[in-house]
Amino acid sequence: MRLSTKGRYAVTAMLDLALNGTDGPVTLADISENQGISLSYLEQLFAALRSKGLVRGVRGPGGGYYLGRESDEISIADIICAVDEWVEFTRCKGRQNCQDGQRCLTHSLWDDLSQQIFIFLSDITLHDLVERGEQREAERKEKRAAAAQILGLKGRAA
Amino acid sequence: MRLSTKGRYAVTAMLDLALNGTDGPVTLADISENQGISLSYLEQLFAALRSKGLVRGVRGPGGGYYLGRESDEISIADIICAVDEWVEFTRCKGRQNCQDGQRCLTHSLWDDLSQQIFIFLSDITLHDLVERGEQREAERKEKRAAAAQILGLKGRAA
DNA sequence: GCAATTACCCAGTAATTTGCTCGGATAAAA
DNA sequence: TTTTATCCGAGCAAATTACTGGGTAATTGC
């Protein structure tokens, strides 16, 4: 598993899509402005995402991108693997000195850990994140309302 | 959170230390050979690990490195953060267009996820990995023994 | 004392990755 | 047919990764 800024860009872009793509496609120009990523770089990322079926492009005016599947069918691992090219685990390829247990042990331990991280991120979907975000948002709103009421600012909070 | 090959190198090197450092310090030359990392690069990594107290160096012949703490007191997150310089979350620093909910929402969602990965890796210690490795090793040995017995190769397995 | 061995330190640099600019081509809506 | 958008690819600056090679400082065994 690998987690770079590239992966972060891809995830935030996909989140943008999940949030704003409910009524019509979202243009890369919009995402570019929202997330502060250059249009060309987004194009690169979305080429990878598209090839993996994670997004669907619609050309022409009024066009843009849709999610390729339902947001609860797209895991964070899917997204990161799509753009990070997933250069396979370090299974001691080529290094023949890894036959005898001791030496290769650390590698297999790392592989196990890597696998765990992968599974962890495979269990989190775009939908989960959005939902969690809404929940937080609601909590915050509630807190603000409660605070406003305690302070007697408005009688009943907006 | 960030997870690069640099972090992988650091983790496998620390695993090497945890496995082989029980009777005396381990030299970087050994780790270099075991893990296939250049000596100088290891020095760089260990300078960072040392500055965070994760390893302790001993100079002179017969010297090398010890773990700085007990292996169950060193988390994977500790190691990765030590070498990856932990360039802070993208909390929309500088970008003032992130005031209004919608735009900054994706960023805070990413931050949440990043935080979750961090916590996940903070809960896994070197000791955990080593132990799990031994367990796997034992399972494999058991399986081999059982297989040998079933096949009647040795009567009782070694 | 002296030589060997190790950590420690730092400057330079090749290779790779990241993220961007630019210049286009194709598809669809207006 | 013009405009809007995805698509496509070459090229490039900056950052990061990983290494080479120069040393110095501490410790050991002789």
Side-chain angles (χ1 to χ4, degrees):
Chain A
M1 198 72 230
R2 185 137 156 271
L3 197 47
S4 61
T5 53
K6 196 173 178 181
R8 190 192 72 204
Y9 280 150
V11 171
T12 51
M14 289 290 281
L15 274 168
D16 204 315
L17 223 59
L19 288 166
N20 301 325
T22 51
D23 36 33
V26 182
T27 69
L28 290 189
D30 285 345
I31 299 179
S32 171
E33 181 155 357
N34 282 355
Q35 308 298 331
I37 314 171
S38 84
L39 187 61
S40 273
Y41 197 40
L42 274 177
E43 283 177 353
Q44 281 183 40
L45 297 179
F46 273 71
L49 293 171
R50 199 171 65 88
S51 77
K52 296 292 193 307
L54 297 179
V55 297
R56 185 165 49 86
V58 177
R59 290 175 159 189
Y65 280 96
Y66 287 104
L67 289 181
R69 302 195 290 264
E70 290 302 310
S71 65
D72 60 353
E73 292 290 328
I74 299 176
S75 75
I76 305 303
D78 287 335
I79 299 169
I80 290 172
C81 288
V83 298
D84 262 344
E85 225 35 86
W86 189 241
V87 247
E88 95 168 272
F89 301 156
T90 342
R91 268 226 179 272
C92 309
K93 45 175 182 189
R95 303 181 58 76
Q96 75 284 25
N97 62 341
C98 275
Q99 304 299 355
D100 46 17
Q102 186 59 268
R103 306 217 168 167
C104 192
L105 184 53
T106 54
H107 292 170
S108 61
L109 286 177
W110 171 262
D111 283 350
D112 282 353
L113 177 63
S114 192
Q115 195 71 27
Q116 282 180 57
I117 300 171
F118 177 76
I119 292 170
F120 178 74
L121 291 179
S122 295
D123 274 341
I124 303 177
T125 66
L126 274 184
H127 181 75
D128 289 336
L129 280 184
V130 170
E131 204 173 40
R132 236 172 285 182
E134 282 168 358
Q135 205 173 309
R136 296 272 165 86
E137 193 74 9
E139 279 170 21
R140 271 194 288 271
K141 206 170 268 181
E142 210 171 293
K143 266 182 201 161
R144 276 202 299 274
Q149 205 158 27
I150 287 170
L151 292 169
L153 289 179
K154 279 189 158 189
R156 188 141 297 178
Chain B
M1 196 73 231
R2 186 138 154 271
L3 199 46
S4 60
T5 55
K6 195 175 179 182
R8 190 193 70 202
Y9 280 151
V11 171
T12 50
M14 289 290 282
L15 273 169
D16 205 314
L17 223 58
L19 288 167
N20 302 324
T22 50
D23 38 31
V26 182
T27 68
L28 289 190
D30 285 345
I31 299 178
S32 171
E33 181 155 353
N34 281 355
Q35 308 300 329
I37 316 170
S38 84
L39 188 61
S40 270
Y41 196 40
L42 273 178
E43 284 178 351
Q44 279 182 43
L45 297 178
F46 273 72
L49 294 171
R50 201 171 65 88
S51 76
K52 296 292 195 304
L54 296 179
V55 296
R56 186 164 49 87
V58 177
R59 289 175 161 191
Y65 280 95
Y66 286 104
L67 290 182
R69 303 195 290 263
E70 290 301 310
S71 67
D72 60 353
E73 291 290 329
I74 298 177
S75 76
I76 305 303
D78 286 336
I79 299 169
I80 289 172
C81 288
V83 298
D84 261 344
E85 227 32 271
W86 189 241
V87 247
E88 97 166 271
F89 303 155
T90 342
R91 265 224 182 274
C92 311
K93 46 177 180 186
R95 302 182 59 77
Q96 74 282 27
N97 63 341
C98 276
Q99 304 299 354
D100 46 19
Q102 186 60 269
R103 306 219 168 161
C104 192
L105 184 52
T106 55
H107 292 170
S108 61
L109 286 177
W110 171 261
D111 284 350
D112 282 352
L113 177 62
S114 191
Q115 194 71 28
Q116 281 180 59
I117 299 172
F118 177 75
I119 291 171
F120 178 74
L121 291 179
S122 296
D123 275 340
I124 303 176
T125 67
L126 274 185
H127 180 75
D128 289 337
L129 280 184
V130 171
E131 203 173 41
R132 235 172 289 182
E134 282 167 0
Q135 204 173 308
R136 296 269 165 86
E137 192 74 8
E139 278 170 22
R140 270 192 290 270
K141 204 169 272 183
E142 209 169 296
K143 265 182 202 160
R144 275 200 301 271
Q149 205 159 26
I150 288 169
L151 292 169
L153 288 179
K154 279 191 159 188
R156 190 140 296 178

